[in-house]
Amino acid sequence: MKVPFYDYTHTFLSNEKAIVDLFVAVGRRGGYIMQKELQEFEEALATYTGAEYAVGVGNATDAMEMFLMASGIQPGDEVIVCSHTMVATASAVRMAGAEPIPVDVASDGLMDVESARRAISAKTRAIMPTQLNGRTLDMRPIMALAEEHGLMLFEDSAQGLGSKFQGRSAGTFGIAGCLSFYPAKTLGCFGDGGAILCSDAGLYERLMWMRDHGRGADGDVHLWGRNSRLDNVQAAILHHFLRSFDEVVARRRALATLYCERLHHCPALQLPPAPDADDDHFDSYQNFEMLCDNRDGLKQALAADGIGTIVQWGGKGLHQFEKLEMGRDLPATDRWFEKCLMLPMNMSVSDEQAHAVADAVLNFYA
Ligand SMILES: *Cc1c(COP(=O)(O)O)cnc(C)c1O
């Protein structure tokens, strides 16, 4: 049985009529930029996440760049990030003028707080963990660390929508967090899209100006801005999918449970925490990333069976992109990238397919 890693036609084809109807409704009114659909989606997103404010923007990378700049991050500042993240986390820091400082991963692949503590220097201004794979970090020690050293706290929660720690949504712990609506994300649109979550009214106002050339509703230009607006038609479609998003999260958790039940006895594997592993974490499984012995052998064997897998970020942490010169000694992340692999985890995967994936993995190690 073939199981593609991700099927980019699935969301559209299984919702074609609803999506076309939304496009027709927006198109017939000519409502393309910053119209009521965007405003309604922003309100719904704030309500869903429990954030005070949500701002629709062009993508999650712009979101980070803008909230860093609007919060006063400047050239000469250092921002601590986790090495196991998309290059976008670091590039946003760089494009905002500051230096990204990558640190090591803990056993669940998210930022290791002690490694973050060791990376603090006189120039450190902020810390921005990544809520990776649809899992929100235990934020208590990170918040305590930020508090202790007077650092600003941001979140790269591009993969975090739907996930919570102690009932609080990813992206709502610090000054601001980002969301990505890239098609393969848990809430994907049909192109690029993103959002900022924040709680401060002044920051919210600056971000609303900043995404639209610095312009305010009063017609004045309040600051230097850019053009990074979430398209109105994408907002209409995203709002439609947000209404049933809890079902998406439930389905992903069911798939994760299936994988964990089938695979947890296999000594060659270290699985991500199962959905019921503890009461504090509520994971939305953007990805199902595991560590495995003979990773490349397993990947090849699964490919021969028609099963798609991916090694995240092309197999490198931030500190391993030599041309970007963020190199430092991060042994836990080095070990992670020797063994990590992601199994198919999305709405097109049936139970039958997930069992076929588990069979193939167990078969490889038998
Ligand atoms: C997808 C992703 C981004 C970038 O999101 P875009 O919307 O494509 O800019 C940033 N960080 C992480 C962890 C991501 O997974």
Side-chain angles (χ1 to χ4, degrees):
M1 186 184 299
K2 285 206 185 320
V3 189
F5 181 76
Y6 189 80
D7 174 3
Y8 278 93
T9 66
H10 180 263
T11 309
F12 186 78
L13 294 180
S14 47
N15 300 276
E16 189 164 336
K17 173 143 186 358
I19 294 163
V20 170
D21 286 352
L22 286 167
F23 187 74
V24 168
V26 168
R28 286 191 176 153
R29 274 191 295 112
Y32 299 117
I33 304 286
M34 295 211 297
Q35 297 298 303
K36 77 172 170 46
E37 283 81 359
L38 175 59
Q39 197 187 331
E40 286 167 4
F41 173 58
E42 288 171 337
E43 282 163 16
L45 195 59
T47 303
Y48 184 81
T49 56
E52 209 62 52
Y53 306 104
V55 182
V57 297
N59 54 73
T61 314
D62 280 1
M64 287 186 275
E65 206 177 309
M66 284 190 279
F67 67 54
L68 291 169
M69 294 175 80
S71 302
I73 292 291
Q74 290 173 353
D77 293 342
E78 291 180 355
V79 179
I80 293 173
V81 299
C82 186
S83 186
H84 186 358
T85 189
M86 189 178 174
V87 68
T89 323
S91 65
V93 171
R94 248 326 255 251
M95 295 302 122
E99 283 303 320
I101 306 295
V103 302
D104 237 339
V105 292
S107 61
D108 61 358
L110 277 69
M111 181 183 275
D112 175 35
V113 184
E114 287 317 307
S115 181
R117 182 187 298 280
R118 287 194 297 275
I120 293 173
S121 78
K123 294 181 182 167
T124 308
R125 214 39 219 304
I127 180 160
M128 181 160 66
T130 294
Q131 312 293 20
L132 194 72
N133 295 335
R135 179 175 175 81
T136 304
L137 212 65
D138 178 346
M139 293 300 288
R140 292 167 301 184
I142 297 264
M143 290 166 90
L145 184 67
E147 174 95 43
E148 187 186 326
H149 293 268
L151 307 177
M152 292 191 272
L153 178 65
F154 302 98
E155 292 165 75
D156 178 348
S157 37
Q159 295 193 358
L161 187 64
S163 94
K164 297 188 178 105
F165 179 75
Q166 293 189 330
R168 200 163 154 187
S169 292
T172 66
F173 289 87
I175 292 173
C178 66
L179 295 173
S180 174
F181 308 124
Y182 183 84
K185 297 282 160 62
T186 52
L187 181 67
C189 66
F190 299 94
D192 278 309
I196 300 168
L197 303 177
C198 68
S199 56
D200 180 80
L203 176 62
Y204 169 65
E205 186 170 50
R206 290 196 297 284
L207 290 167
M208 291 289 275
W209 294 332
M210 204 179 246
R211 72 158 177 199
D212 185 37
H213 307 286
R215 298 182 296 192
D218 59 1
D220 201 3
V221 174
H222 296 269
L223 41 66
W224 289 108
R226 69 177 66 194
N227 179 359
S228 185
R229 304 171 296 221
L230 177 63
D231 289 333
N232 199 55
V233 68
Q234 301 283 13
I237 294 167
L238 287 162
H239 196 172
H240 170 79
F241 284 115
L242 183 64
R243 291 191 178 94
S244 54
F245 185 66
D246 282 340
E247 290 162 36
V248 171
V249 175
R251 173 64 192 152
R252 287 172 172 272
R253 287 167 61 82
L255 277 173
T257 300
L258 189 158
Y259 280 144
C260 288
E261 282 175 2
R262 289 293 316 277
L263 299 174
H264 81 276
H265 287 304
C266 180
L269 303 175
Q270 183 195 318
L271 302 179
D276 61 357
D278 66 69
D279 290 339
D280 285 340
H281 291 273
F282 183 86
D283 296 354
S284 58
Y285 294 91
Q286 163 69 58
N287 302 306
F288 189 89
E289 184 177 53
M290 59 183 192
L291 301 183
C292 34
D293 294 348
N294 188 7
R295 188 263 319 273
D296 295 339
L298 175 63
K299 188 174 187 3
Q300 268 176 25
L302 293 178
D305 286 345
I307 295 168
T309 58
I310 281 190
V311 179
Q312 205 158 195
W313 323 128
K316 285 182 181 179
L318 294 181
H319 71 293
Q320 295 168 323
F321 289 111
E322 282 174 18
K323 289 172 191 148
L324 300 186
E325 299 181 343
M326 290 181 281
R328 49 208 285 135
D329 202 20
L330 301 178
T333 312
D334 291 344
R335 282 195 300 279
W336 188 277
F337 281 99
E338 282 164 21
K339 298 189 121 189
C340 62
L341 190 68
M342 302 196 296
L343 297 181
M345 167 55 77
N346 57 73
M347 296 304 283
S348 78
V349 179
S350 66
D351 280 9
E352 209 185 358
Q353 285 177 310
H355 279 295
V357 172
D359 288 339
V361 171
L362 295 174
N363 193 34
F364 174 76
Y365 291 113

